[in-house]
Structure formats: structure tokens, C-alpha cells
Amino acid sequence: MSIMKLLSIAAKAKVVTRRYPFEPPVVTEGFRGKIEVDPKLCWGCGVCTRICPPNALTLKKREDGTLVLSYFMGRCIFCGMCAEVCPRGAITVTKEFELASLTAEDLVRDVKHDVVRCRICGRVIGPTVEIREATKSVGGAEAKYYDLCPECRKLVVARGIMTKVGVRP
Amino acid sequence: MGEQGRYLPECPEMSEVVRKLTEEYGGHVIFSRESEVYIEVPRHELKDVAKYLYSSGAFLKTCAAVDERPLNRSFALYHIFGMDSKGYDVIVKVSAPEDDAWVPSTVDVVPAADWCELEARDMVGIELKGRRLVRRLVLPEDWPEDIHPLRKEVPHDFRPPSVKAESEFRPPERGIPIGPYHPVLHEPEYFELLVEGETVVDVYYRGFHVHRGIEKLGESPRFTYQKIPFLAERICGICGFVHSTCAIMAMEKAAGIRPPERAEFIRTIVLELERIHSHLLWVGVAAHVLGYDAGFMHTWRVREPVMILSELITGSRKTYGLNLVGGVRRDIDKDKMEKIMKTLDRVEKEFKELANLLVSVPQIRRRAQGTGVLTRSEARALSVVGPVARASGLYRDVRKDYPYLAYKEASFKVPLYTEGDNLARVLVRVEEVFESISIIKQLLDKLPGGPIMHEKCSAIIPVDELIPPGKYAVAAIEAPRGEDVHFLMTGEGRPYRWRVRAPTYQNIPALRPMLRGDPLADAPLTIASIDPCFSCTDRALVIDVRTGRARTIKLWDGGVGTCRL
Ligand code: SF4
Ligand code: SF4
């Protein structure tokens, strides 16, 4: 009896298993997969690394002073919080999920940032893109000090004023 | 504490409890808010207080041990009593000075306190006076004696060297092991069944193999209130949204904010979707346990559209990542509403047909009827929760007893059976699927407009400032497996203590009365019938030896835990 009923249910349902990977899987428009960071937009500010729940995004400072925003998919939980907080809109959440690989290195994406050093004392001021963008928005007289650290900038400005008023520094 | 000494007199029963505890037992109110009152009583009164509360209708939700030495040089144990029929919680605190760290055990009067007392001893190092059987529950055998992980001086990433312990575990001669992996549930657990011939005479359980230290992690500098929902969601792979919502509800209570109505509706809808997929998953597994694999596959086929729907609404099939303190991250638009309605109609129709078939299969009925019986009084003594309670005639449902989120806006039945057997537990869950479908439809019809995030909150604004230190909150949600409880004590920027009590934690001790006296062949089904979620519970055990017999078989040195009924 029940066998007959089950057969009728099965006949109605037909085959539902997809022949993945020969057929595409069902991925809805709401799906969140791995993220991509646009190196042209990213500032290296690190806001995304602070919100990332599993620390899949990290900002590392190399010995040569350069900054690296490193994304490790092996830890990523695909929450998309980073994309929500990035002030530059540099992060896109893709629908990609077929990330399996034989080596862990394949799961790392690095965005390298050159840094601007102070032209007088040589200290690292910040990521090049960030400084450049910030300078653009400030413009004018400030812009010419873009490659000075705050301390050296104070000195230079003070010296300038003193020269103007005729006091020898 | 902020609202010191205040309680809400408008609830007469609550005032009566408060009066009794303060006047007769020397207690004082340390904190209160609508539907919660925190009362500290002298420790020598604890047993009497527990007896009074338990006999006046309270259930024990759990107890939570806290290392409060940095605050006041003492340890504390909070017993959370839920007055289900009145809809409020009484949290009883007892303190023990650091150099005299003991509290009286309440197991004799509140059998449901068994596990959480042992956990307090393992994790915080509070001794329990007057307990007959004391053993380790959570910590592994090779963990050093004097290290209690939830003490504040122990770093969250501390890994002590393993100490050579003579194994606490001794398999009895007649035991039949089920584990260390459950053959069907594919989760680590260890049951040892004592049999005489074909009849089970006793049961032992050892769990907590997958304890991940999530509570400790949540207190560590690695985490902030903003990130905890994502961590909480990973407590369970099936009902993760329950945990994330429950943790958030506790945080929102502590912050004194209420998410916009629309967000509450969306959370409720997703919680019910989660119940549907969880119950369908379980019905399938139950069919599989009974050797009816066609039933298993068809149930899961019917379930699949619910998973796809969850992904559409939240971004992921599971671990939705939808919740933030203050609201939800994604809205449900017209198009999605239509898709939800369409999917639910289909699931309703297909599952009706399938469920009717499943419960009418004579082999299934024979195996499920009259097996694994849990009586109402056993269920009451152990404060069991969810479908297990409701199949034993115990009317308990957080959605009705402590209405939260948008549940007041929907009318729904709570299926109740009195048989207490495996069949009753099947039927409760089957009916609940249809109730959940109806709840979602009603809520979609009424979905209010407006924002989905509280104006003070967003992904970018750190919520840490909104949640002041030194606050308490208890939140509970009716998960697919029963009541899930989160207890929160706030600290600077993160919890000072975050205690999670998953439903299975409360239900596993009930397996002992269920399994005893039944044929061995029914054991796998009975174990599966509580829909156990071991990972949740382990954030598990041994059930004690029957001492009444002429020959006592000891499984653990120094005795085992009790659930005396
Ligand atoms: S991705 Fe965005 S948030 Fe992250 S470092 Fe770059 S600019 Fe900052
Ligand atoms: S998607 Fe989530 S887990 Fe992944 S990098 Fe972004 S914030 Fe981190």
C-alpha cells in the first residue's frame, strides 16, 4: 500500500539530482562567495581587517616598510562585512565558491601597497594611494608637503614663517 | 548595577517571589528589568530557595558560574529559573569567597542542575558541597587538575600539556558501545548501553569531545560585540541563526535598544524557516535510522527548496550572517516575498503527502510507538525542552511563554502529545512544520514598513559603546530542539561572561529514563528521537550507574553524574 503511494510521489518528483559539475549548481542572486579587493581603489587603511570576524583579512607591514593587505580564503566565512565597511568601496562580494586547491598559498590574495616616506627623516607616512588621494582632496599649499611627516612638516612650516618675518632660525 | 534594588511591582507573582526571597531567605535584588529579576541570596540558603522555586512551578534553565575575583574577590554561581507560566526569569546568585570556593549542590531538589553544576566545577573551579557523585563533565581526562579554563587568569589560547591520567573511563563488561561517532548523526558522542539479554538496563554517555571554548573566545580580546553574532552562529550547524539571534537579544537587552519592528519580523521569519529545514532534516534522519531510505531521500528532497530560499534571503544556505546588534543586514522585498510564499506552498503540499505516508507505514509505527517513553514527571524533573517536552505532555514553548520578537503577531498552535514515546516526538515535529509555515505566511502578510536597522547601529558603527559594562541579560529562544538560553554579563567592549545553554544539553539526561527497559534494537531510534545536536551541547557525559542492582558496574572512578529521578 504505502509502497504504491511512495511510487506515485517519486514519479511526480522525477530526477532532481543535478549532474554537477557537468551542470551548473543552483546559485541564487542572494549568494555571497569569496571577495575581491580592487588594488586600484584600496587605500590600505585596514578598516576591513578590524571588522572581519575570523581575521581572514590582515594588514601586514613588511620590513621594507610596504604594507600588504592579505586575504586568506581558507579562513573567510563569506559574511561580506568587509565590503559593507570599506570606505573606498574597494571590496566586491562575488558568487564564486569553487575554491578548493591543493596548496594553501592558492587561497591567499595579497594587495601590496607602496608607502610614502618622509623626504626629510625617512619615516613611513602612509600608503601611497591614501596619501595621494588625500592630497588631491586637500589641494593648494598643503599639497606640496604631502611627502613630509607631521613633525618635519611643522619644522618646515615654522622655518618658512621665520624666514618670511626675517628671523634667522 | 544600574537599577539597583528596583523591581517591577506591577507583576504580582514576581513581587511575591521577590518578597519571599528577600524577606524570608535574606536575599537582596541586585538588578532587574521587565521579565528578569536578579537576586543574591546567602549561599547557605540556596538549596531552600531552589526547592521553593522549583516546587512553585519554575523550570531550571541552567546555571552559570562566573569568576568574579577581579570585581569582588569571589566566585559566583547564577541559577536561572524560568517561571514559564508567568513569563519571567528569576536569577538567583550565590557568591563564594575566593579562598573558600564552594556552593551547596541543589541536585537533590533540582535534578536538572546536574550538568551545569559539574560544568561550574570543571570550568571555574567551584566545589559543590553535599553532592554525592562528583566527576568531570566537560574537561578531558588528561587536563591538569588545577586549571579551570574559565578563570580570568587563564588566557583564551592556553594549551596546557597533557597530564598522564589513569583513564577515568572503564567500559563495563556488558556494555555495548555506540560511538565515538554516532552511526547516523555523524557527530562525536559516546554512549555505552548496559544490557541484559536484549534489554537495556542502563545508559552512560560521554561527550564534550568537540568543546571548542566558544564562551571563552567571546570574552577574549580577539572578539567584540560586533563580531560575536558571527561566532555565536557557529555554535551549531543546524540552528546557528537561533544562537546568533539569542546572543544578540541578550546584547540588545543590555544596551537597552530594541531593533525596528521590521527587523524583528525578518528575524522571526528566518527563525521559522530554520525550524522547517531542521525538522525536515530530522524526519529524514529518523526514516534513515529506521532503514527507510526512500523516506529519507524524499524528505530531504522536499527540504532542499527551503535551503535555497534561505540562501536567497540571507546570502548563505546556513550560517546566514544576517544579524547585527540593532537589526538585520538584508531586507525582504516584494520579489523575495513572492518566492517565499511560492516555496512554502510547495513544501506544505509535498510534505503533507510525504508525512501522511511516513507515519502510516506499519513498520515505522511499530518501531516508534511505545518505545523510548519519557513520562511527564521525568520530563518535568529534568526540565527537558522543546519537542521532547511537548511529546511528554509538558506544555513548554518559549514562543508562547516568553513572547519575543514578532511571535505575538502570529497565531499558532503548540502541538502537544502525552504518550512520551518516539512516535509522539515524530508527530510533534511533523505538526510543527505546518505551524511554522503558517507563522511565516502570517508575518509576511503583516510585515511592517520602516528601517531594518536601529538608528544608533550599523556595520560601521562599533556597538561597543552602546553596551555598558556591568549589565546582566538573559535571552531565550525556542530553537527547533527546544529552548536555547544565553546569559550575558557585560564587560568592557566585550562580554565579561557569556554562557550558552543549548537545548540538547537539557535533553540528553532524559535519554536514560527513555532507554531503560527497552529492547536494544530501539536504542538508535530513541537516541535520535531527541534530535541531539552534540556540537551545540559541547560548547557532553555519562549517565549514572544504577546502584539499585545487586551488582553495580562502575564506569567512572569515583562515581558518575546523576540524574536521580
Ligand atoms: S579594502 Fe577598503 S577597508 Fe580594506 S584596507 Fe582597502 S580601503 Fe581600507
Ligand atoms: S567576507 Fe567576512 S570573513 Fe571574508 S574577508 Fe570579508 S569580513 Fe572577513
Side-chain angles (χ1 to χ4, degrees):
Chain A
M1 220 2 247
S2 54
I3 263 290
M4 294 311 292
K5 275 195 218 147
L6 185 72
L7 281 177
S8 99
I9 289 176
K12 258 190 273 168
K14 301 208 188 74
V15 177
V16 293
T17 311
R18 280 190 179 236
R19 298 183 59 234
Y20 176 78
F22 308 107
E23 236 185 299
V26 187
V27 176
T28 64
E29 73 232 41
F31 180 71
R32 283 187 309 258
K34 74 163 211 208
I35 58 150
E36 251 156 33
V37 184
D38 185 342
K40 287 205 274 312
L41 285 174
C42 175
W43 267 2
C45 67
V47 169
C48 54
T49 64
R50 284 197 289 276
I51 197 85
C52 176
N55 292 355
L57 283 164
T58 46
L59 197 60
K60 292 178 201 137
K61 211 175 191 167
R62 291 242 184 104
E63 291 214 335
D64 61 355
T66 53
L67 278 175
V68 180
L69 176 68
S70 180
Y71 171 49
F72 179 46
M73 283 168 240
R75 291 196 79 131
C76 182
I77 58 170
F78 313 107
C79 63
M81 287 293 281
C82 49
E84 238 166 88
V85 301
C86 173
R88 301 275 299 150
I91 302 182
T92 4
V93 180
T94 72
K95 302 223 177 307
E96 211 177 306
F97 65 92
E98 289 153 310
L99 310 174
S101 160
L102 289 175
T103 55
E105 291 87 74
D106 280 355
L107 301 177
V108 181
R109 297 281 178 281
D110 282 347
V111 175
K112 294 187 188 76
H113 287 284
D114 284 336
V115 286
V116 178
R117 289 174 179 281
C118 175
R119 88 169 105 96
I120 297 174
C121 68
R123 259 201 307 174
V124 175
I125 312 172
T128 310
V129 207
E130 183 172 354
I131 305 283
R132 198 194 302 131
E133 293 294 317
T135 315
K136 251 195 243 162
S137 60
V138 177
E142 277 289 306
K144 68 179 190 226
Y145 301 129
Y146 81 96
D147 54 353
L148 290 177
C149 72
E151 271 79 60
C152 296
R153 185 180 309 180
K154 261 187 244 155
L155 277 177
V156 170
V157 174
R159 210 177 275 146
I161 295 171
M162 286 175 187
T163 323
K164 232 184 233 159
V165 297
V167 191
R168 278 174 75 89
Chain B
M1 298 296 146
E3 295 93 330
Q4 203 150 35
R6 260 189 50 211
Y7 62 93
L8 299 167
E10 50 270 30
C11 175
E13 293 93 350
M14 195 157 164
S15 319
E16 172 52 24
V17 168
V18 172
R19 190 198 60 76
K20 188 123 181 160
L21 262 53
T22 48
E23 286 172 19
E24 290 176 31
Y25 296 106
H28 63 277
V29 176
I30 49 173
F31 184 80
S32 80
R33 74 162 65 82
E34 191 193 352
S35 79
E36 281 160 68
V37 58
Y38 296 73
I39 303 178
E40 176 157 12
V41 299
R43 61 179 164 178
H44 63 270
E45 299 279 17
L46 179 64
K47 213 166 158 173
D48 289 337
V49 168
K51 196 171 171 182
Y52 158 67
L53 288 170
Y54 217 52
S55 59
S56 54
F59 286 88
L60 181 73
K61 292 189 164 172
T62 194
C63 58
V66 187
D67 174 8
E68 293 186 355
R69 286 172 303 160
L71 306 174
N72 52 30
R73 305 175 62 87
S74 55
F75 295 103
L77 191 61
Y78 295 82
H79 282 74
I80 307 166
F81 290 95
M83 300 294 209
D84 277 20
S85 53
K86 315 274 171 19
Y88 64 86
D89 293 321
V90 178
I91 297 95
V92 178
K93 174 185 180 179
V94 283
S95 297
E98 56 181 338
D99 48 7
D100 189 24
W102 62 268
V103 297
S105 163
T106 56
V107 158
D108 294 348
V109 287
V110 184
D114 185 22
W115 276 25
C116 65
E117 279 188 1
L118 292 174
E119 184 165 344
R121 177 178 170 266
D122 276 10
M123 305 306 271
V124 181
I126 301 177
E127 280 311 316
L128 300 152
K129 272 209 180 151
R131 230 190 115 103
R132 199 166 51 91
L133 299 166
V134 173
R135 62 180 169 97
R136 272 193 183 175
L137 177 73
V138 181
L139 295 179
E141 286 142 32
D142 63 346
W143 186 274
E145 269 303 321
D146 49 347
I147 296 172
H148 303 285
L150 282 179
R151 287 194 173 183
K152 297 296 173 194
E153 72 269 15
V154 182
H156 75 278
D157 52 357
F158 179 65
R159 286 170 194 243
S162 150
V163 292
K164 247 187 108 184
E166 205 197 316
S167 173
E168 214 185 326
F169 186 77
R170 277 187 231 301
E173 304 135 50
R174 298 180 297 179
I176 299 206
I178 299 185
Y181 274 84
H182 191 281
V184 178
L185 305 170
H186 307 298
E187 271 199 276
E189 44 78 32
Y190 185 85
F191 286 93
E192 183 111 7
L193 307 180
L194 299 196
V195 293
E196 263 181 20
E198 278 298 303
T199 309
V200 177
V201 294
D202 219 334
V203 186
Y204 305 96
Y205 173 66
R206 175 73 175 147
F208 289 89
H209 305 208
V210 281
H211 194 285
R212 291 157 290 169
I214 284 182
E215 293 172 354
K216 182 84 183 179
L217 203 54
E219 295 166 12
S220 75
R222 221 340 234 99
F223 274 88
T224 59
Y225 288 121
Q226 196 80 306
K227 291 182 184 180
I228 283 178
F230 296 93
L231 178 64
E233 195 150 45
R234 278 153 183 82
I235 291 172
C236 181
I238 302 178
C239 55
F241 193 69
V242 166
H243 286 287
S244 105
T245 310
C246 205
I248 281 183
M249 276 169 39
M251 292 188 248
E252 286 171 347
K253 273 188 179 182
I257 57 171
R258 225 189 125 171
E261 252 195 310
R262 192 175 173 92
E264 294 198 323
F265 270 66
I266 293 175
R267 282 184 187 166
T268 316
I269 289 167
V270 177
L271 281 170
E272 290 307 313
L273 267 182
E274 197 169 60
R275 186 182 327 276
I276 297 172
H277 102 73
S278 176
H279 280 0
L280 291 179
L281 176 142
W282 179 82
V283 172
V285 168
H288 179 52
V289 173
L290 291 167
Y292 189 54
D293 272 356
F296 159 58
M297 282 185 249
H298 281 283
T299 318
W300 281 45
R301 171 180 60 77
V302 173
R303 169 178 177 261
E304 185 58 22
V306 183
M307 306 306 288
I308 297 172
L309 191 62
S310 307
E311 181 191 296
L312 176 76
I313 301 171
T314 68
S316 212
R317 291 167 61 97
K318 277 314 311 163
T319 48
Y320 306 141
L322 184 68
N323 265 330
L324 286 179
V325 176
V328 291
R329 293 169 63 204
R330 286 194 185 188
D331 205 352
I332 297 182
D333 60 18
K334 273 261 150 51
D335 177 50
K336 286 184 183 152
M337 268 160 114
E338 268 165 36
K339 288 193 172 126
I340 299 175
M341 287 293 198
K342 245 173 82 190
T343 310
L344 290 180
D345 283 341
R346 182 174 148 200
V347 171
E348 191 171 11
K349 189 169 149 275
E350 291 198 76
F351 186 59
K352 209 168 252 162
E353 206 174 358
L354 194 60
N356 283 339
L357 171 70
L358 286 174
V359 298
S360 67
V361 175
Q363 292 91 327
I364 291 186
R365 276 202 101 87
R366 269 204 303 275
R367 294 272 318 264
Q369 204 158 26
T371 55
V373 176
L374 181 75
T375 64
R376 191 179 185 281
S377 66
E378 289 162 342
R380 170 69 184 91
L382 293 168
S383 287
V384 301
V385 296
V388 178
R390 297 192 283 274
S392 292
L394 210 57
Y395 185 96
R396 297 193 72 190
D397 189 319
V398 189
R399 297 173 294 175
K400 292 280 190 194
D401 299 333
Y402 310 81
Y404 54 96
L405 299 175
Y407 284 106
K408 270 200 176 124
E409 307 292 327
S411 75
F412 60 99
K413 270 204 336 259
V414 176
L416 195 69
Y417 283 79
T418 51
E419 291 83 352
D421 58 358
N422 287 329
L423 186 63
R425 291 189 280 276
V426 173
L427 295 174
V428 165
R429 293 193 182 97
V430 166
E431 284 176 35
E432 281 184 9
V433 170
F434 300 112
E435 291 302 321
S436 295
I437 293 175
S438 148
I439 294 173
I440 299 175
K441 287 182 174 174
Q442 294 175 46
L443 292 180
L444 280 176
D445 271 345
K446 288 190 183 174
L447 191 66
I452 54 169
M453 187 60 85
H454 192 278
E455 60 200 25
K456 284 195 198 153
C457 311
S458 86
I460 307 167
I461 309 169
V463 287
D464 313 350
E465 286 136 47
L466 294 176
I467 308 177
K471 295 270 181 197
Y472 292 108
V474 172
I477 282 189
E478 186 67 25
R481 286 159 193 75
E483 174 197 62
D484 175 39
V485 180
H486 285 226
F487 168 83
L488 175 73
M489 214 177 136
T490 60
E492 301 281 349
R494 59 188 58 81
Y496 183 81
R497 176 78 169 94
W498 173 38
R499 163 91 168 112
V500 178
R501 203 277 282 133
T504 303
Y505 191 90
Q506 210 76 345
N507 285 342
I508 287 177
L511 278 175
R512 186 170 173 251
M514 285 184 195
L515 289 166
R516 278 198 308 200
D518 267 14
L520 182 62
D522 291 330
L525 175 65
T526 302
I527 293 174
S529 80
I530 68 161
D531 196 1
C533 181
F534 299 107
S535 294
C536 256
T537 306
D538 292 6
R539 148 283 343 114
L541 101 146
V542 197
I543 303 180
D544 77 339
V545 266
R546 187 153 110 171
T547 46
R549 300 193 72 83
R551 184 157 164 251
T552 305
I553 302 147
K554 271 209 173 161
L555 187 62
W556 307 76
D557 264 348
V560 291
T562 57
C563 23
R564 263 169 282 165
L565 303 170

